[in-house]
Structure formats: C-alpha cells, structure tokens
Amino acid sequence: MQVKLNDLSRQHNAIRNEMDAAIAEVINKNAYIGGEFVARFETNFAQYLGIAHCIGCANGTDALEIALDALDLQAGDEVLVPATTWISTAGAVRNQGGVPVFVDVNENFLFDLKDAEKKCSSRTRGIIAVHLFGQAADIKNIVSWAKSKNYFVIEDCAQAHGATFENQKVGTFGDIGTFSFYPGKNLGALGDAGCMVTNSSELAEKCKLYRNHGQLKKHEHLTYGRNSRLDGLQAAVLDVKLKHLPEWTTKRQKIAQNYNQFLSTLPVSILKPASNTQAVYHLYVIQTKDRDGLKVHLDAKGIQTAVHYPLPLPRTQTFWYPNCEIVQAEYLAKHCLSLPIFPEMTEDEQRYVMQSVEQFFVK
Ligand SMILES: *Cc1c(COP(=O)(O)O)cnc(C)c1O
C-alpha cells in the first residue's frame, strides 16, 4: 500500500462539479481581480471565524508582511517569533525591515511565554504567535502579556483554520490574524492565496491599502503598498471549499483521535492540545527517539512522512543566531516526524500506518 502525506486529488474529485461551476461563473462575469467573488469569500470567511473584517491577499507570507505594515513596523523594531515555525513567520519580519527575535517553544511546539519574558527588550514592538500544526497557542495569555507591554500581536493561523481557544476561533484574539490558503493547507486554493482578519476597522482599512498599491480608489495612492490581491478564481474556489471545511476538520480530528489511541501504547510522544482548545490537525506530529530510523522504516513500507521542521529557524543559514538559546526547539527538531493525515484518508490507510509504526518498535 502507498500512503501519501496528503492527497489533494481526492478532495478535488469529490467537489469537482462545484468547483467547475464556480470557475465558470467567474469567467462568465470577468471578475478576475477583486470584485464580487472576492467580496463574497471575504464576508463568508469573516463570518466563519466570527470576526468583523477579512481582507484577501496573494498568499500567507504577504498577509504577515501587510499585517506588519498595517501595524506600522519600523526599521530595527524587534518582533518576538517562535523558533519552530515555517520560515515565513520570521522572514516577513526581516522583509519589513524588522528584527526577528526567536523565542523557544514548549513541548507542544508552541510559543513559550516564559521564554518571551527573557527575550524581550526595549526595542520589542510585537509578537507573532503561530498556531502550529493546527493547535491553538496559549493565545489569551499571550495577548494579555502583550497588552501589559504595549506590544502588538499578530496570529499566524496559516495552519489553523477553525482551531479554537475556549470555543473562539484563532485569528480573532490578536490585533490581526493572518491565513494562508496554499493548496495543502486545511483550506486551500488552486494556487496561492491568503488573507488578514481583524476586528479593527482602522487596521482593516490599512490592510486594504497595503495590499493594493496604497489605494482604496483607483489612482488615489494614499501610501506606498504592493500588489497582493486575491484572484476572483481563487476566491470562488475557496468559497466552495469553505462550505466543506467543518466536515473536513471533523474528519481530521477523528483520524488524530484514532492515532492518539493507538500510539499511546508505543514509545512515541504525541501532541497534547490544552483541554480548553480544539486542534484542527493540519499535521499529525509525533516525537520519538530514533526518528530517522522510523522514517526509513515507513518509507520502505510506502508511507510518506515529513519532518516539520528539520532546523529551528535560528539554526538555519538564513537566520544564523548560534547563541540564541532554544533548548526545546532543538530537541523537537531532532525527534519530530509528521505522519499522513488528510480528511479523505481511509480507515485501511490509517490502520496500515499505525501497524507499520508498531512494527518498527516490536521488530
Ligand atoms: C504556509 C505558512 C505560511 C505562509 O503561507 P504562504 O501562503 O505559503 O505564503 C506562513 N506561516 C506558516 C506557519 C505557514 O505554515
């Protein structure tokens, strides 16, 4: 049997007719950039999250950069970011002229507030908290600490569409939440797409300006900006997929539960989302001593796995901070392994993955 980490063709085959109809409608109406399909998706996604404003843009990395622009990040400003995350979180800070300062993560790969207390300085302006792998970070405490320090909070929700903290969806706690709709994300376009969300109408206006050449009306350039608009085609596809997202999320959670139950008898650690949160399992990440051995074993069984992430960011060539202390992040990078998870994964496939993992430990 071959099991892929994620198999988008199954998702697309199941909703192919709906997507085709939506795409045809966009072409019939010539609404390629901005326009009614973008506006409709923005409204629907904001409603799904329970937030006032959603502003579409070209991808999740731009969403972070536009959010930093809207929050008026200045050259040399420091922003606290987790050491374990996709490179965009820190890259966006760097691209906007800021300085990423790396904070260690806890045993669940999430922003560690205690370490943030040690790493903040008089130049700190804000925090980007990441809801990694679909888990909610300790966002209420992060926001209240940030408030006490007068820092902004951006929530990077690129992996956490629909994850909740005390029954409230992530992205709605900080000043701005950012999302990626990269095809493989829990809600994915047929190409690149992203958005910013906020409850502040002032920040929403700024995000709209910065995504579109600093203009709200054509040729009225109120500030500099960029071209980072959401396509009508992508918005129409996202709107189709958004209707299915709750059911896909439930399926991911069910698979994670099956894995959790089975793996609890083996020498692996699993993610342990806090009891007041609900994870949406963008990835299913385990930790084990001989990670590389397990990966080779699963490869041989036809099971695709991945390492998220092989190096903490301050140990990469891009962000080379050899003296930055990040004990937990370094430990996780050596021991983590992502197993296949996607809504359409069959029970046979789940069983095959679990039995193959077990075989590695009992052989
Ligand atoms: C995917 C991702 C991004 C970037 O999104 P793109 O749409 O690929 O630019 C940012 N942060 C995290 C945590 C991500 O997983």
Side-chain angles (χ1 to χ4, degrees):
M1 193 186 281
Q2 300 280 323
V3 187
K4 289 202 233 171
L5 202 58
N6 184 7
D7 186 354
L8 274 177
S9 57
R10 291 192 207 171
Q11 178 180 98
H12 291 159
N13 288 340
I15 58 166
R16 184 63 189 263
N17 291 344
E18 285 175 79
M19 288 198 305
D20 283 347
I23 290 167
E25 210 187 333
V26 175
I27 297 172
N28 288 340
K29 293 191 171 166
N30 288 307
Y32 304 118
I33 304 285
E36 68 177 284
F37 297 94
V38 171
R40 190 187 309 160
F41 173 69
E42 287 173 337
T43 303
N44 289 341
F45 194 61
Q47 193 180 4
Y48 168 79
L49 294 178
I51 199 160
H53 308 278
C54 168
I55 303 98
C57 69
N59 58 66
T61 307
D62 277 5
L64 287 163
E65 295 186 8
I66 293 167
L68 289 166
D69 249 339
L71 290 160
D72 201 24
L73 189 81
Q74 298 294 314
D77 284 350
E78 292 181 358
V79 180
L80 301 169
V81 300
T84 303
T85 175
W86 171 240
I87 191 155
S88 301
T89 314
V93 175
R94 172 61 172 65
N95 290 347
Q96 293 301 110
V99 180
V101 172
F102 293 99
V103 172
D104 206 358
V105 291
N106 64 22
E107 63 285 359
N108 275 328
F109 299 76
L110 297 171
F111 192 90
D112 182 354
L113 205 41
K114 285 195 299 293
D115 196 49
E117 303 240 19
K118 289 187 213 150
K119 302 227 167 116
C120 61
S121 79
S122 59
R123 309 194 61 141
T124 307
R125 276 281 325 280
I127 298 175
I128 304 180
V130 182
H131 301 293
L132 202 67
F133 306 152
Q135 312 173 91
D138 187 12
I139 194 64
K140 267 202 172 163
N141 285 322
I142 291 170
V143 168
S144 65
W145 181 69
K147 279 210 172 111
S148 76
K149 297 277 204 177
N150 207 18
Y151 298 160
F152 64 74
V153 176
I154 295 173
E155 293 178 72
D156 181 344
C157 310
Q159 303 186 4
H161 314 70
T164 61
F165 186 98
E166 292 175 357
N167 295 319
Q168 184 181 333
K169 292 208 170 73
V170 300
T172 63
F173 292 88
D175 296 288
I176 300 180
T178 63
F179 287 84
S180 164
F181 304 118
Y182 176 83
K185 300 286 160 91
N186 285 26
L187 178 61
L190 302 179
D192 278 316
C195 77
M196 294 71 66
V197 300
T198 182
N199 273 316
S200 153
S201 25
E202 193 188 328
L203 288 174
E205 285 293 288
K206 286 188 176 166
C207 288
K208 280 182 202 161
L209 278 178
Y210 286 116
R211 78 167 165 182
N212 190 20
H213 302 300
Q215 64 182 11
L216 291 175
K217 274 203 208 132
K218 197 139 196 152
H219 303 307
E220 275 185 32
H221 302 283
L222 305 176
T223 175
Y224 62 90
R226 68 182 77 206
N227 173 3
S228 182
R229 298 170 300 224
L230 177 59
D231 291 354
L233 283 168
Q234 299 303 350
V237 167
L238 287 167
D239 211 37
V240 166
K241 289 197 178 190
L242 179 58
K243 296 189 188 79
H244 298 278
L245 183 60
E247 134 214 348
W248 291 338
T249 299
T250 307
K251 286 183 178 165
R252 284 179 185 273
Q253 290 165 333
K254 184 80 201 342
I255 296 164
Q257 251 174 29
N258 288 348
Y259 274 158
N260 284 347
Q261 228 165 30
F262 188 88
L263 298 175
S264 64
T265 58
L266 300 177
V268 299
S269 322
I270 57 171
L271 297 175
K272 296 183 189 71
S275 58
N276 57 349
T277 67
Q278 276 218 311
V280 294
Y281 291 96
H282 174 59
L283 294 170
Y284 188 89
V285 182
I286 62 171
Q287 298 162 42
T288 194
K289 206 167 143 214
D290 183 12
R291 185 268 313 276
D292 294 334
L294 177 58
K295 187 167 190 342
V296 169
H297 169 81
L298 293 175
D299 277 348
K301 293 262 154 197
I303 297 170
Q304 192 184 16
T305 59
V307 174
H308 297 97
Y309 294 95
L311 281 177
L313 292 181
R315 301 293 183 260
T316 60
Q317 196 180 317
T318 317
F319 298 107
W320 181 244
Y321 296 179
N323 298 325
C324 168
E325 203 172 301
I326 41 157
V327 178
Q328 186 69 30
E330 290 202 298
Y331 175 86
L332 294 171
K334 291 195 184 84
H335 296 94
C336 64
L337 189 66
S338 305
L339 301 181
I341 191 164
F342 53 96
E344 301 77 14
M345 198 179 175
T346 66
E347 284 185 10
D348 277 354
E349 287 171 328
Q350 294 168 47
R351 206 170 308 117
Y352 181 64
V353 171
M354 293 188 280
Q355 283 168 353
S356 302
V357 173
E358 184 180 40
Q359 224 177 44
F360 177 75
F361 291 106
V362 298
K363 71 181 172 202

